[in-house]
Amino acid sequence: MKPQALYKVLLSHYGKQLWWPVTEPGQTIPSYKPRKRLSGRQKLEICIGAILTQNTDWKNVMKALENLNRAGMMDCGKIAGARQQSIATLVKPSGYYNRKAKKVKAFCKYLQKKYNGSISKLLSKPIEELRSELLSLHGIGNETADDIILYAAEQPSFVVDAYTTRFVKRFFGRTAIDYVEVKGFFEQQLPKDAQLFNEFHALLVEHGKRYCRREPQCGECFLAGKCEFQQRK
Ligand code: SF4
């Protein structure tokens, strides 16, 4: 099965996932809903969420984002000027909080210094330029950079995470495949469409949580008839 056909099957099974959840004005908790435009504050929240989600579940990130929102700290200038320890206290639910506070502060300080605090200026750069700039920053690796490009900048850069890599190895029978190869595998076979990449990644995560877990639930999986992993058994 080709990636585009797989996308259609996953979409018809799970429906739209409406990523990335962000906080509406006057609220403090991110929510999943269709949005025509993201505000600068929402873009910043996505970037911070992308850093905080490293090595933890999203539900923990939600609590950290809620703390930042409640404290009125979802603001580039405020984070850049705050003590690292204060940020660490707010992002504690996301785990590795000292390291993450350092990364979030470094990101905001960079934005303040280079773009006068305007996240939109950074995110409006062409994909390749934006990607290398993000990767040059403290604590931003491939997955975080692609989360930011796809979900905050709304530009087509396919996101790969542990769920995606595990699924590709099993479903498409690929072995020893690294981040760049998985990303290229999808990008070379799909139209460069940010909305498609957005939904596809979210659907792969959903499938990885429900069926293609560390211990795969192949007996119940609706993709079993097309899956290389199943056919090799
Ligand atoms: S059949 Fe098993 S290995 Fe294949 S996608 Fe489904 S859960 Fe994963």
Side-chain angles (χ1 to χ4, degrees):
M1 186 185 265
K2 298 266 188 216
Q4 193 138 17
L6 169 68
Y7 170 73
K8 286 183 184 156
V9 173
L10 289 171
L11 184 63
S12 91
H13 187 87
Y14 294 116
K16 287 193 171 187
Q17 302 297 298
L18 305 173
W19 278 31
W20 184 289
V22 287
T23 305
E24 293 296 324
Q27 305 291 313
T28 53
I29 302 175
S31 57
Y32 294 84
K33 56 170 75 167
R35 291 177 175 91
K36 286 211 172 77
R37 293 195 58 199
L38 293 167
S39 66
R41 186 182 181 284
Q42 289 172 329
K43 289 177 189 175
L44 179 68
E45 186 181 284
I46 292 173
C47 297
I48 292 173
I51 294 170
L52 297 181
T53 200
Q54 295 169 357
N55 303 308
T56 195
D57 287 344
W58 181 252
K59 62 178 182 341
N60 301 325
V61 178
M62 293 273 270
K63 289 180 197 151
L65 293 174
E66 185 183 355
N67 286 347
L68 286 166
N69 284 326
R70 281 190 190 280
M73 288 295 287
M74 195 58 77
D75 177 281
C76 184
K78 286 186 185 171
I79 291 177
R83 284 173 54 243
Q84 193 177 304
Q85 190 50 48
S86 312
I87 303 166
T89 305
L90 294 169
V91 303
K92 194 168 184 177
S94 68
Y96 305 101
Y97 50 93
N98 285 320
R99 268 189 260 167
K100 288 183 181 176
K102 188 174 176 191
K103 292 177 188 180
V104 167
K105 186 171 158 82
F107 181 74
C108 290
K109 273 179 88 174
Y110 179 81
L111 269 185
Q112 277 301 110
K113 196 168 167 202
K114 185 146 186 211
Y115 297 97
N116 204 20
S118 168
I119 185 75
S120 299
K121 269 193 202 156
L122 168 68
L123 298 180
S124 62
K125 293 192 161 186
I127 293 182
E128 288 313 320
E129 204 182 318
L130 175 56
R131 197 165 193 278
S132 20
E133 190 166 341
L134 290 169
L135 289 173
S136 74
L137 302 180
H138 172 68
I140 297 192
N142 280 317
E143 186 183 337
T144 308
D146 288 326
D147 276 338
I148 291 173
I149 299 168
L150 182 58
Y151 291 104
E154 300 175 283
Q155 298 196 59
S157 191
F158 205 91
V159 177
V160 177
D161 63 1
Y163 292 111
T164 314
T165 304
R166 184 166 72 205
F167 178 82
V168 166
K169 281 184 183 166
R170 289 174 179 166
F171 187 81
F172 294 104
R174 308 288 290 244
T175 49
I177 192 163
D178 68 12
Y179 189 99
V180 174
E181 287 168 318
V182 178
K183 182 176 170 64
F185 173 80
F186 285 104
E187 290 190 350
Q188 282 153 22
Q189 297 185 70
L190 294 169
K192 282 234 158 197
D193 177 339
Q195 197 49 47
L196 168 69
F197 286 12
N198 170 330
E199 275 299 337
F200 206 162
H201 174 64
L203 289 163
L204 288 169
V205 171
E206 190 60 22
H207 193 66
K209 286 181 179 168
R210 297 227 202 157
Y211 297 99
C212 210
R213 301 182 197 157
R214 201 164 293 158
E215 283 297 322
Q217 309 296 303
C218 303
E220 295 146 39
C221 177
F222 58 93
L223 294 177
K226 302 281 182 192
C227 179
E228 292 275 338
F229 184 75
Q230 268 297 292
Q231 282 158 27
R232 282 201 309 268
K233 274 186 178 174

